[in-house]
Coordinates of all heavy atoms in Angstrom, one line a residue:
R1425 N 18.6 -8.9 -17.9 CA 18.5 -9.2 -16.5 C 19.9 -9.1 -15.9 O 20.9 -9.6 -16.5 CB 18.0 -10.6 -16.4 CG 17.2 -10.8 -15.2 CD 16.4 -12.1 -15.2 NE 16.9 -13.1 -16.1 CZ 16.4 -14.3 -16.3 NH1 15.4 -14.6 -15.6 NH2 16.8 -15.1 -17.2
D1426 N 20.0 -8.6 -14.6 CA 21.3 -8.5 -14.0 C 21.7 -9.8 -13.2 O 20.8 -10.7 -13.0 CB 21.4 -7.3 -13.2 CG 20.6 -7.3 -11.9 OD1 20.0 -8.4 -11.6 OD2 20.4 -6.3 -11.2
A1427 N 22.9 -9.9 -12.8 CA 23.4 -11.1 -12.1 C 22.6 -11.3 -10.8 O 22.4 -12.5 -10.4 CB 24.9 -10.9 -11.8
R1428 N 22.3 -10.2 -10.1 CA 21.6 -10.4 -8.8 C 20.2 -11.0 -9.0 O 19.7 -11.9 -8.3 CB 21.5 -9.1 -8.0 CG 22.8 -8.8 -7.4 CD 22.6 -7.6 -6.5 NE 23.9 -7.3 -5.9 CZ 24.2 -6.1 -5.4 NH1 23.3 -5.2 -5.3 NH2 25.4 -5.9 -4.9
A1429 N 19.5 -10.5 -10.1 CA 18.2 -11.1 -10.4 C 18.3 -12.5 -10.8 O 17.4 -13.4 -10.4 CB 17.5 -10.2 -11.5
E1430 N 19.3 -12.9 -11.6 CA 19.5 -14.3 -12.0 C 19.8 -15.1 -10.8 O 19.4 -16.3 -10.7 CB 20.6 -14.4 -13.0 CG 20.1 -13.8 -14.4 CD 21.0 -14.2 -15.5 OE1 21.8 -15.2 -15.4 OE2 20.9 -13.5 -16.5
A1431 N 20.6 -14.6 -9.8 CA 21.0 -15.4 -8.6 C 19.7 -15.6 -7.8 O 19.5 -16.7 -7.3 CB 22.0 -14.6 -7.8
A1432 N 18.9 -14.6 -7.7 CA 17.6 -14.7 -6.9 C 16.7 -15.8 -7.6 O 16.1 -16.6 -6.9 CB 16.9 -13.4 -6.8
M1433 N 16.6 -15.7 -8.9 CA 15.8 -16.7 -9.6 C 16.3 -18.1 -9.4 O 15.5 -19.0 -9.2 CB 15.6 -16.3 -11.0 CG 14.6 -17.1 -11.7 SD 13.9 -16.5 -13.2 CE 15.3 -16.5 -14.3
A1434 N 17.6 -18.3 -9.5 CA 18.2 -19.6 -9.3 C 17.9 -20.1 -7.9 O 17.6 -21.3 -7.7 CB 19.7 -19.6 -9.6
A1435 N 18.1 -19.2 -6.9 CA 17.9 -19.6 -5.5 C 16.4 -20.0 -5.2 O 16.1 -20.9 -4.5 CB 18.3 -18.5 -4.6
E1436 N 15.5 -19.2 -5.8 CA 14.1 -19.5 -5.7 C 13.7 -20.9 -6.3 O 13.0 -21.6 -5.7 CB 13.2 -18.4 -6.3 CG 13.2 -17.1 -5.5 CD 12.7 -15.9 -6.3 OE1 12.2 -16.1 -7.4 OE2 12.7 -14.8 -5.7
E1437 N 14.3 -21.1 -7.5 CA 14.1 -22.4 -8.1 C 14.7 -23.6 -7.3 O 14.1 -24.6 -7.1 CB 14.7 -22.5 -9.5 CG 13.9 -21.6 -10.5 CD 14.6 -21.5 -11.8 OE1 15.7 -22.1 -12.1 OE2 14.2 -20.7 -12.7
S1438 N 15.9 -23.3 -6.7 CA 16.5 -24.3 -5.9 C 15.7 -24.6 -4.6 O 15.5 -25.7 -4.2 CB 17.9 -23.8 -5.5 OG 18.5 -24.7 -4.6
C1439 N 15.2 -23.5 -4.1 CA 14.3 -23.7 -2.9 C 13.1 -24.5 -3.2 O 12.7 -25.4 -2.4 CB 14.0 -22.3 -2.3 SG 13.1 -22.4 -0.7
A1440 N 12.4 -24.1 -4.3 CA 11.2 -24.8 -4.7 C 11.5 -26.3 -4.9 O 10.7 -27.2 -4.5 CB 10.6 -24.2 -5.9
L1441 N 12.6 -26.7 -5.6 CA 12.9 -28.1 -5.8 C 13.2 -28.8 -4.4 O 12.8 -29.9 -4.2 CB 14.1 -28.2 -6.7 CG 13.9 -27.8 -8.1 CD1 15.2 -27.7 -8.9 CD2 12.9 -28.8 -8.8
A1442 N 13.9 -28.1 -3.6 CA 14.3 -28.7 -2.3 C 13.0 -28.9 -1.5 O 12.8 -30.0 -0.8 CB 15.2 -27.8 -1.5
E1443 N 12.1 -27.9 -1.5 CA 10.8 -28.1 -0.8 C 10.0 -29.3 -1.4 O 9.4 -30.1 -0.7 CB 10.0 -26.8 -0.9 CG 10.5 -25.7 0.0 CD 9.8 -24.4 -0.1 OE1 9.2 -24.2 -1.2 OE2 10.0 -23.6 0.8
A1444 N 10.0 -29.4 -2.7 CA 9.2 -30.5 -3.4 C 9.7 -31.9 -3.0 O 8.9 -32.8 -2.9 CB 9.3 -30.3 -4.9
I1445 N 11.0 -32.0 -2.7 CA 11.5 -33.3 -2.3 C 11.8 -33.5 -0.8 O 12.3 -34.5 -0.4 CB 12.8 -33.7 -3.1 CG1 13.9 -32.8 -2.8 CG2 12.5 -33.8 -4.6 CD1 15.3 -33.2 -3.4
G1446 N 11.4 -32.4 -0.1 CA 11.6 -32.5 1.4 C 13.0 -32.4 1.9 O 13.4 -32.9 2.9
E1447 N 13.9 -31.8 1.1 CA 15.3 -31.6 1.4 C 15.5 -30.4 2.3 O 15.7 -29.3 1.7 CB 16.2 -31.6 0.2 CG 17.6 -31.3 0.4 CD 18.3 -32.2 1.4 OE1 18.1 -33.5 1.3 OE2 19.0 -31.7 2.3
L1448 N 15.4 -30.5 3.6 CA 15.4 -29.3 4.5 C 16.7 -28.6 4.5 O 16.7 -27.4 4.6 CB 15.0 -29.8 5.9 CG 13.5 -30.2 6.1 CD1 13.3 -30.7 7.5 CD2 12.6 -29.1 5.7
R1449 N 17.8 -29.3 4.3 CA 19.1 -28.6 4.3 C 19.1 -27.7 3.1 O 19.6 -26.6 3.1 CB 20.2 -29.6 4.3 CG 21.5 -28.9 4.6 CD 22.6 -29.9 5.0 NE 22.3 -30.8 6.1 CZ 22.3 -30.5 7.4 NH1 22.6 -29.3 7.7 NH2 22.0 -31.4 8.3
G1450 N 18.6 -28.1 2.0 CA 18.6 -27.3 0.7 C 17.7 -26.1 0.9 O 18.0 -25.0 0.5
V1451 N 16.5 -26.4 1.5 CA 15.6 -25.3 1.8 C 16.2 -24.2 2.7 O 16.2 -23.0 2.4 CB 14.3 -25.8 2.5 CG1 13.4 -24.6 2.9 CG2 13.5 -26.7 1.5
G1452 N 16.9 -24.7 3.7 CA 17.6 -23.8 4.7 C 18.6 -22.9 4.0 O 18.7 -21.7 4.2
Y1453 N 19.4 -23.6 3.2 CA 20.5 -22.8 2.5 C 19.9 -21.8 1.5 O 20.3 -20.7 1.4 CB 21.5 -23.7 1.8 CG 22.6 -22.9 1.2 CD1 23.6 -22.5 2.0 CD2 22.6 -22.5 -0.1 CE1 24.7 -21.7 1.5 CE2 23.6 -21.7 -0.6 CZ 24.6 -21.3 0.2 OH 25.6 -20.5 -0.3
A1454 N 18.9 -22.3 0.7 CA 18.3 -21.4 -0.3 C 17.7 -20.2 0.4 O 17.8 -19.1 -0.1 CB 17.3 -22.2 -1.2
R1455 N 16.9 -20.5 1.4 CA 16.3 -19.3 2.2 C 17.3 -18.4 2.7 O 17.1 -17.2 2.7 CB 15.4 -19.9 3.3 CG 14.2 -20.6 2.8 CD 13.1 -19.7 2.2 NE 12.0 -20.5 1.8 CZ 11.0 -20.0 1.2 NH1 11.0 -18.7 0.8 NH2 10.0 -20.8 0.8
W1456 N 18.4 -18.9 3.3 CA 19.4 -18.0 3.8 C 20.0 -17.2 2.7 O 20.2 -16.0 2.8 CB 20.5 -18.9 4.5 CG 21.7 -18.0 4.9 CD1 21.7 -17.2 6.0 CD2 22.9 -17.8 4.2 NE1 22.9 -16.6 6.1 CE2 23.7 -16.9 5.0 CE3 23.4 -18.3 3.0 CZ2 24.9 -16.5 4.6 CZ3 24.7 -17.9 2.7 CH2 25.4 -17.0 3.4
F1457 N 20.3 -17.8 1.5 CA 20.9 -17.1 0.4 C 19.9 -16.0 -0.1 O 20.3 -14.9 -0.4 CB 21.2 -18.1 -0.7 CG 21.9 -17.5 -1.9 CD1 23.3 -17.2 -1.8 CD2 21.3 -17.2 -3.1 CE1 24.0 -16.6 -2.8 CE2 22.0 -16.7 -4.1 CZ 23.3 -16.4 -4.0
L1458 N 18.6 -16.4 -0.2 CA 17.6 -15.4 -0.6 C 17.5 -14.2 0.4 O 17.4 -13.0 0.0 CB 16.2 -16.0 -0.7 CG 16.0 -16.9 -1.9 CD1 14.8 -17.8 -1.8 CD2 16.0 -16.1 -3.2
G1459 N 17.7 -14.5 1.7 CA 17.8 -13.4 2.7 C 19.0 -12.5 2.5 O 18.9 -11.3 2.6
A1460 N 20.1 -13.1 2.2 CA 21.3 -12.3 1.9 C 21.2 -11.4 0.7 O 21.6 -10.3 0.8 CB 22.5 -13.3 1.8
L1461 N 20.5 -12.0 -0.3 CA 20.3 -11.1 -1.5 C 19.3 -10.0 -1.2 O 19.5 -8.8 -1.6 CB 19.7 -12.0 -2.6 CG 20.7 -13.0 -3.3 CD1 19.9 -13.8 -4.3 CD2 21.8 -12.2 -3.9
A1462 N 18.3 -10.3 -0.4 CA 17.3 -9.2 0.0 C 18.0 -8.2 0.8 O 17.8 -7.0 0.6 CB 16.1 -9.8 0.7
E1463 N 18.9 -8.6 1.7 CA 19.6 -7.7 2.6 C 20.5 -6.8 1.7 O 20.6 -5.6 1.9 CB 20.4 -8.4 3.6 CG 21.1 -7.6 4.6 CD 21.8 -8.4 5.7 OE1 21.8 -9.6 5.7 OE2 22.3 -7.7 6.6
R1464 N 21.2 -7.3 0.7 CA 22.0 -6.5 -0.1 C 21.3 -5.5 -0.9 O 21.8 -4.4 -1.3 CB 22.8 -7.4 -1.1 CG 23.9 -8.2 -0.3 CD 24.8 -9.0 -1.3 NE 25.7 -9.7 -0.5 CZ 26.3 -10.8 -0.9 NH1 26.0 -11.3 -2.1 NH2 27.2 -11.4 -0.1
R1465 N 20.0 -5.8 -1.3 CA 19.3 -4.8 -2.1 C 18.5 -3.8 -1.1 O 17.8 -3.0 -1.6 CB 18.4 -5.5 -3.1 CG 17.2 -6.2 -2.6 CD 16.3 -6.7 -3.8 NE 15.2 -7.4 -3.2 CZ 15.1 -8.7 -3.0 NH1 16.1 -9.5 -3.3 NH2 14.0 -9.2 -2.4
G1466 N 18.7 -4.0 0.2 CA 18.1 -3.1 1.1 C 16.7 -3.4 1.6 O 16.1 -2.6 2.2
D1467 N 16.3 -4.6 1.4 CA 15.0 -5.0 1.8 C 15.1 -5.9 3.1 O 15.0 -7.1 3.1 CB 14.3 -5.8 0.7 CG 12.8 -6.1 0.9 OD1 12.4 -6.0 2.1 OD2 12.1 -6.6 0.0
G1468 N 15.2 -5.2 4.2 CA 15.5 -5.8 5.5 C 14.3 -6.7 5.9 O 14.6 -7.8 6.5
H1469 N 13.1 -6.3 5.7 CA 12.0 -7.1 6.1 C 11.9 -8.4 5.3 O 11.7 -9.5 5.9 CB 10.7 -6.3 5.9 CG 10.6 -5.1 6.9 ND1 10.4 -5.3 8.2 CD2 10.7 -3.8 6.7 CE1 10.4 -4.1 8.8 NE2 10.6 -3.2 7.9
E1470 N 12.1 -8.4 4.0 CA 12.2 -9.6 3.3 C 13.4 -10.5 3.7 O 13.2 -11.7 3.8 CB 12.3 -9.4 1.8 CG 12.4 -10.6 0.9 CD 11.2 -11.5 1.0 OE1 10.1 -11.1 1.4 OE2 11.3 -12.7 0.6
A1471 N 14.5 -9.9 4.0 CA 15.7 -10.6 4.5 C 15.3 -11.3 5.8 O 15.6 -12.5 5.9 CB 16.8 -9.7 4.6
M1472 N 14.7 -10.6 6.7 CA 14.3 -11.2 8.0 C 13.4 -12.4 7.8 O 13.5 -13.5 8.4 CB 13.7 -10.2 8.9 CG 14.7 -9.4 9.6 SD 14.1 -8.5 11.1 CE 13.0 -7.3 10.3
H1473 N 12.4 -12.2 6.9 CA 11.5 -13.3 6.6 C 12.2 -14.6 6.0 O 12.0 -15.7 6.5 CB 10.4 -12.8 5.5 CG 9.6 -13.9 5.0 ND1 8.6 -14.5 5.7 CD2 9.7 -14.5 3.7 CE1 8.0 -15.5 4.9 NE2 8.7 -15.5 3.7
Q1474 N 13.2 -14.3 5.1 CA 13.9 -15.5 4.5 C 14.8 -16.1 5.6 O 14.9 -17.3 5.6 CB 14.7 -15.0 3.3 CG 13.8 -14.6 2.1 CD 13.0 -15.7 1.5 OE1 13.2 -16.9 1.8 NE2 12.1 -15.4 0.7
Y1475 N 15.5 -15.3 6.4 CA 16.4 -15.8 7.4 C 15.6 -16.7 8.4 O 16.0 -17.7 8.9 CB 17.1 -14.7 8.1 CG 18.2 -14.1 7.3 CD1 18.6 -12.7 7.6 CD2 18.9 -14.7 6.3 CE1 19.6 -12.1 6.8 CE2 19.9 -14.1 5.6 CZ 20.2 -12.8 5.9 OH 21.2 -12.2 5.1
A1476 N 14.4 -16.2 8.8 CA 13.5 -16.9 9.7 C 13.1 -18.2 9.1 O 13.1 -19.3 9.8 CB 12.3 -16.1 10.1
A1477 N 12.8 -18.2 7.8 CA 12.4 -19.5 7.2 C 13.6 -20.4 7.1 O 13.4 -21.7 7.3 CB 11.8 -19.2 5.8
S1478 N 14.7 -19.9 6.9 CA 16.0 -20.7 6.9 C 16.2 -21.3 8.3 O 16.4 -22.5 8.4 CB 17.2 -19.9 6.5 OG 18.4 -20.6 6.6
L1479 N 16.0 -20.5 9.3 CA 16.2 -21.0 10.7 C 15.2 -22.1 11.0 O 15.5 -23.2 11.5 CB 16.0 -19.9 11.7 CG 16.1 -20.2 13.1 CD1 17.6 -20.3 13.5 CD2 15.5 -19.1 14.0
D1480 N 13.9 -22.0 10.5 CA 12.9 -23.0 10.8 C 13.3 -24.3 10.1 O 13.1 -25.4 10.7 CB 11.5 -22.5 10.2 CG 10.9 -21.4 11.1 OD1 11.4 -21.2 12.2 OD2 10.0 -20.8 10.6
A1481 N 13.8 -24.2 8.8 CA 14.1 -25.4 8.1 C 15.3 -26.2 8.8 O 15.2 -27.4 9.0 CB 14.5 -25.1 6.7
Y1482 N 16.3 -25.4 9.2 CA 17.4 -26.0 9.8 C 17.0 -26.6 11.2 O 17.5 -27.6 11.7 CB 18.6 -25.1 10.0 CG 19.4 -24.9 8.7 CD1 19.5 -23.6 8.1 CD2 20.1 -25.9 8.1 CE1 20.3 -23.5 7.0 CE2 20.9 -25.8 7.0 CZ 21.0 -24.5 6.4 OH 21.7 -24.4 5.3
A1483 N 16.2 -25.8 11.9 CA 15.7 -26.3 13.3 C 15.0 -27.6 13.2 O 15.2 -28.5 14.1 CB 14.8 -25.2 13.9
E1484 N 14.3 -27.9 12.1 CA 13.6 -29.2 11.9 C 14.7 -30.3 11.9 O 14.4 -31.4 12.2 CB 12.8 -29.2 10.7 CG 11.4 -28.5 10.9 CD 10.5 -28.8 9.7 OE1 10.2 -30.0 9.4 OE2 10.0 -27.8 9.2
L1485 N 15.9 -30.0 11.4 CA 16.9 -30.9 11.3 C 17.7 -31.1 12.6 O 18.5 -32.0 12.8 CB 17.9 -30.6 10.2 CG 17.4 -30.6 8.8 CD1 18.4 -30.0 7.8 CD2 17.1 -32.0 8.4
G1486 N 17.5 -30.1 13.5 CA 18.3 -30.0 14.7 C 19.7 -29.5 14.6 O 20.5 -29.8 15.4
D1487 N 19.9 -28.8 13.5 CA 21.3 -28.4 13.2 C 21.3 -27.0 12.5 O 21.2 -26.9 11.3 CB 22.0 -29.4 12.3 CG 23.4 -29.0 12.0 OD1 24.1 -28.3 12.8 OD2 23.9 -29.5 11.0
V1488 N 21.2 -25.9 13.3 CA 21.1 -24.6 12.8 C 22.5 -24.0 12.7 O 23.2 -23.8 13.7 CB 20.3 -23.7 13.7 CG1 20.2 -22.2 13.1 CG2 18.9 -24.3 13.8
P1489 N 23.0 -23.6 11.5 CA 24.3 -23.0 11.3 C 24.4 -21.7 12.0 O 23.4 -20.9 11.9 CB 24.5 -22.9 9.8 CG 23.5 -23.8 9.2 CD 22.3 -23.9 10.2
E1490 N 25.5 -21.3 12.5 CA 25.7 -20.0 13.2 C 25.4 -18.9 12.2 O 24.9 -17.8 12.6 CB 27.1 -20.0 13.8 CG 27.4 -18.7 14.5 CD 26.4 -18.3 15.6 OE1 25.9 -19.2 16.3 OE2 26.1 -17.1 15.8
R1491 N 25.8 -19.0 10.9 CA 25.6 -17.9 10.0 C 24.1 -17.5 9.9 O 23.8 -16.3 9.7 CB 26.1 -18.3 8.6 CG 25.3 -19.3 7.9 CD 25.7 -19.5 6.4 NE 24.9 -20.4 5.8 CZ 25.0 -21.8 5.8 NH1 26.1 -22.3 6.5 NH2 24.2 -22.6 5.2
V1492 N 23.2 -18.5 10.1 CA 21.8 -18.2 10.0 C 21.4 -17.4 11.2 O 20.7 -16.3 11.1 CB 20.9 -19.4 9.9 CG1 19.4 -19.1 9.9 CG2 21.3 -20.2 8.6
V1493 N 21.8 -17.8 12.4 CA 21.5 -17.1 13.7 C 22.0 -15.7 13.6 O 21.4 -14.8 14.0 CB 22.0 -17.9 14.9 CG1 21.8 -17.2 16.2 CG2 21.4 -19.3 14.9
A1494 N 23.3 -15.6 13.2 CA 24.0 -14.3 13.2 C 23.3 -13.3 12.2 O 23.1 -12.1 12.5 CB 25.4 -14.5 12.8
S1495 N 22.9 -13.8 11.0 CA 22.3 -13.0 10.0 C 20.9 -12.5 10.6 O 20.6 -11.3 10.4 CB 22.0 -13.8 8.7 OG 23.2 -14.1 8.2
L1496 N 20.1 -13.3 11.1 CA 18.8 -12.9 11.7 C 19.0 -12.0 12.8 O 18.3 -11.0 12.9 CB 18.0 -14.2 12.0 CG 16.6 -13.9 12.5 CD1 15.8 -13.2 11.4 CD2 15.9 -15.2 12.8
A1497 N 19.9 -12.3 13.7 CA 20.1 -11.4 14.9 C 20.5 -10.0 14.5 O 20.1 -9.0 15.1 CB 21.1 -12.1 15.9
A1498 N 21.4 -9.9 13.5 CA 21.9 -8.6 13.1 C 20.8 -7.8 12.5 O 20.7 -6.6 12.8 CB 23.0 -8.8 12.1
L1499 N 19.9 -8.4 11.8 CA 18.8 -7.6 11.2 C 17.7 -7.3 12.3 O 17.2 -6.2 12.2 CB 18.1 -8.4 10.1 CG 18.8 -8.2 8.7 CD1 18.0 -9.1 7.7 CD2 18.8 -6.8 8.3
E1500 N 17.5 -8.2 13.2 CA 16.6 -7.8 14.3 C 17.1 -6.7 15.1 O 16.3 -5.8 15.5 CB 16.4 -9.1 15.2 CG 15.5 -10.1 14.5 CD 15.4 -11.4 15.3 OE1 16.3 -11.7 16.2 OE2 14.4 -12.2 15.1
R1501 N 18.4 -6.6 15.3 CA 18.9 -5.4 16.0 C 18.8 -4.2 15.2 O 18.4 -3.1 15.7 CB 20.4 -5.7 16.4 CG 20.7 -6.6 17.5 CD 22.1 -6.5 18.0 NE 23.1 -6.9 16.9 CZ 23.4 -8.1 16.6 NH1 22.9 -9.2 17.2 NH2 24.3 -8.3 15.6
A1502 N 19.0 -4.3 13.9 CA 18.9 -3.1 13.0 C 17.5 -2.6 12.9 O 17.3 -1.3 12.8 CB 19.5 -3.5 11.6
Y1503 N 16.5 -3.4 13.0 CA 15.1 -3.0 12.9 C 14.4 -2.9 14.2 O 13.2 -2.7 14.2 CB 14.4 -4.0 11.9 CG 14.8 -3.7 10.5 CD1 15.9 -4.3 9.9 CD2 14.1 -2.8 9.7 CE1 16.3 -4.0 8.6 CE2 14.4 -2.5 8.4 CZ 15.5 -3.1 7.8 OH 15.9 -2.9 6.5
A1504 N 15.1 -3.1 15.3 CA 14.4 -3.0 16.6 C 14.0 -1.6 16.8 O 14.7 -0.6 16.5 CB 15.4 -3.5 17.7
P1505 N 12.9 -1.4 17.5 CA 12.5 0.0 17.8 C 13.4 0.6 18.8 O 14.0 -0.2 19.6 CB 11.1 -0.2 18.4 CG 10.9 -1.6 18.8 CD 11.9 -2.4 17.9
P1506 N 13.6 1.9 18.8 CA 14.5 2.5 19.7 C 14.0 2.3 21.2 O 12.7 2.2 21.3 CB 14.6 4.0 19.3 CG 13.4 4.2 18.5 CD 13.0 2.8 17.9
P1507 N 14.8 2.3 22.2 CA 14.4 2.2 23.5 C 13.6 3.4 23.9 O 13.9 4.5 23.4 CB 15.6 2.0 24.4 CG 16.7 2.5 23.5 CD 16.3 2.3 22.1
P1508 N 12.7 3.3 24.8 CA 11.9 4.5 25.3 C 12.8 5.5 26.0 O 13.8 5.1 26.6 CB 10.8 3.9 26.2 CG 11.3 2.5 26.6 CD 12.2 2.1 25.5
P1509 N 12.5 6.7 25.9 CA 13.3 7.8 26.5 C 13.3 7.7 28.0 O 12.5 7.2 28.6 CB 12.8 9.1 26.0 CG 11.5 8.7 25.3 CD 11.4 7.3 25.2

């Protein structure tokens, strides 16, 4: 197994544990990290899904880090349909 796969597995386990105990800040960070890993492997749709889940977790706390907003916005721009001619 490579380091990225191990990092993803650790983040998924961390997210599951954070969800199990209701630790939203942990969920938010783990989802953001999973999004960053997905983005690095070229899976933009999975990255957007993870970033959006991160945003939701942080929003429940009322404290969304700028990195989450910036990461999601960058991918939304990258995957936005081209403007009509």
Side-chain angles (χ1 to χ4, degrees):
R1425 213 170 16 181
D1426 69 10
R1428 284 187 182 161
E1430 288 193 22
M1433 190 157 68
E1436 288 168 4
E1437 290 173 5
S1438 174
C1439 187
L1441 289 170
E1443 287 173 340
I1445 63 170
E1447 174 52 49
L1448 291 175
R1449 193 165 306 284
V1451 172
Y1453 185 79
R1455 293 285 184 188
W1456 175 80
F1457 188 75
L1458 287 165
L1461 290 174
E1463 189 174 359
R1464 286 185 184 155
R1465 70 174 182 268
D1467 189 347
H1469 293 288
E1470 177 63 17
M1472 280 195 291
H1473 169 75
Q1474 294 293 348
Y1475 289 151
S1478 175
L1479 182 78
D1480 290 345
Y1482 282 120
E1484 281 191 55
L1485 295 170
D1487 183 22
V1488 179
E1490 180 55 35
R1491 72 173 181 274
V1492 175
V1493 175
S1495 297
L1496 185 57
L1499 276 179
E1500 286 175 339
R1501 283 191 304 274
Y1503 284 88

